[in-house]
């Protein structure tokens, strides 16, 4: 594998992280992004790094067996690496996996008690691959366990047993994760989902007379 491919992946991650940070979706050190390389390994943001100021040295390379590249051993990969690993295992076509902590994604995860969030039949759903007229779409919601491996295990169980309608999921009070066949598509998916979340929050406020959940 050429060093150019490796460098390009990290450059894309830096640009995407900065964009998400500037929109308030990755404040502090929150969130994690990864891109998969042709050999099945992936670069993922290191734990504890500001997503608005990432450098090429702020990533850890994780191999399919879970081992880390030797040059990365002085860094810890994101605490949610297990989720990225299971996404890449379940969806071989996925080349990027992004997770952000926006206000709206956390709010909408509280709007339902069930483990699915109904999505409004907006035109924007076409950007997520949904082309039906008046589609009935749901976004799966998972509990936010302290042990990330438990979240990953529940994702594996549920997605193995059920058809995945949209390449995204919510973790309650934690944020949204999406995956895509290219880094550019993954970035678009996050932006589309955040638009939909803002729509849901705004619609709820309007229909409740500005009183939120009261």
């Amino acid at each position: 594998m050429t060093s150019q491919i490796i460098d390009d992946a990290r450059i894309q991650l830096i640009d995407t992280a900065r964009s998400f940070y500037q929109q308030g979706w990755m404040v502090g050190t929150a969130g994690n992004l990864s891109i998969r390389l042709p050999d099945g390994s992936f670069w993922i943001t290191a734990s504890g790094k500001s997503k608005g100021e990432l450098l090429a040295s702020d990533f850890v390379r994780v191999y399919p067996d879970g081992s880390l590249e030797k040059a990365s051993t002085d860094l810890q990969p994101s605490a949610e690496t297990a989720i990225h690993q299971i996404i890449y295992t379940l969806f071989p076509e996925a080349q990027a996996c992004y997770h952000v902590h926006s206000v709206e994604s956390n709010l909408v995860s509280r709007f339902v008690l069930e483990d699915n969030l109904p999505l409004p039949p907006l035109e924007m759903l076409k950007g997520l691959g949904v082309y039906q007229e008046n589609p009935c779409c749901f976004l799966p919601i998972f509990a936010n366990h302290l042990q990330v491996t438990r979240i990953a295990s529940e994702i594996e169980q549920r997605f193995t047993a059920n058809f995945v309608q949209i390449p995204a999921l919510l973790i309650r009070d934690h944020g949204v994760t999406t995956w895509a066949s290219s880094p550019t598509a993954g970035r678009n998916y996050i932006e589309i989902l955040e638009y939909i979340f803002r729509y849901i929050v705004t619609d709820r406020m309007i229909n409740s007379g500005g009183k939120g959940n009261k």
Side-chain angles (χ1 to χ4, degrees), residues 81-204:
T81 297
I83 294 176
H84 292 248
Q85 288 176 303
I86 199 61
I87 290 297
Y88 288 135
T89 299
L90 291 171
F91 305 101
E93 73 282 3
Q95 299 301 315
C97 183
Y98 298 155
H99 171 66
V100 300
H101 292 210
S102 68
V103 172
E104 289 84 0
S105 65
N106 285 326
L107 285 174
V108 298
S109 75
R110 286 174 164 250
F111 287 173
V112 293
L113 297 177
E114 297 79 13
D115 58 7
N116 282 300
L117 174 73
L119 299 181
L122 301 176
E123 178 74 10
M124 293 292 279
L125 287 173
K126 289 182 178 179
L128 298 171
V130 178
Y131 294 97
Q132 296 91 343
E133 186 173 351
N134 296 317
C136 182
C137 296
F138 297 87
L139 199 59
I141 302 176
F142 293 85
N144 184 27
H145 303 297
L146 180 61
Q147 292 183 319
V148 177
T149 53
R150 183 176 174 188
I151 302 174
S153 177
E154 292 183 0
I155 291 171
E156 180 179 25
Q157 293 174 16
R158 187 166 168 189
F159 283 176
T160 299
N162 298 279
F163 172 72
V164 178
Q165 188 179 29
I166 290 175
L169 62 90
L170 283 168
I171 302 175
R172 205 179 300 274
D173 298 326
H174 188 154
V176 62
T177 298
T178 190
W179 56 95
S181 58
S182 74
T184 299
R187 184 169 174 167
N188 290 340
Y189 289 174
I190 285 287
E191 293 177 353
I192 290 168
L193 286 164
E194 289 297 338
Y195 173 94
I196 294 172
F197 297 154
R198 290 197 302 275
Y199 177 95
I200 294 172
V201 171
T202 302
D203 180 68
R204 189 178 181 91

Side-chain angles (χ1 to χ4, degrees), residues 6 9-10 13 33-35 37 42-44 59-61 69:
I6 294 173
R10 285 182 289 184
L13 287 170
L33 311 174
S34 72
I35 287 180
L37 301 172
F42 59 90
W43 284 113
I44 190 167
F59 297 91
V60 178
R61 190 173 177 184
E69 186 173 73

Side-chain angles (χ1 to χ4, degrees), residues 25-67:
W25 301 339
M26 301 186 83
V27 297
T29 64
N32 38 82
L33 311 174
S34 72
I35 287 180
R36 181 153 58 171
L37 301 172
D39 67 353
S41 67
F42 59 90
W43 284 113
I44 190 167
T45 44
S47 180
K49 299 293 182 179
S50 171
K51 304 311 183 294
E53 302 174 343
L54 290 175
L55 303 173
S57 57
D58 293 330
F59 297 91
V60 178
R61 190 173 177 184
V62 182
Y63 289 90
D65 63 0
S67 63

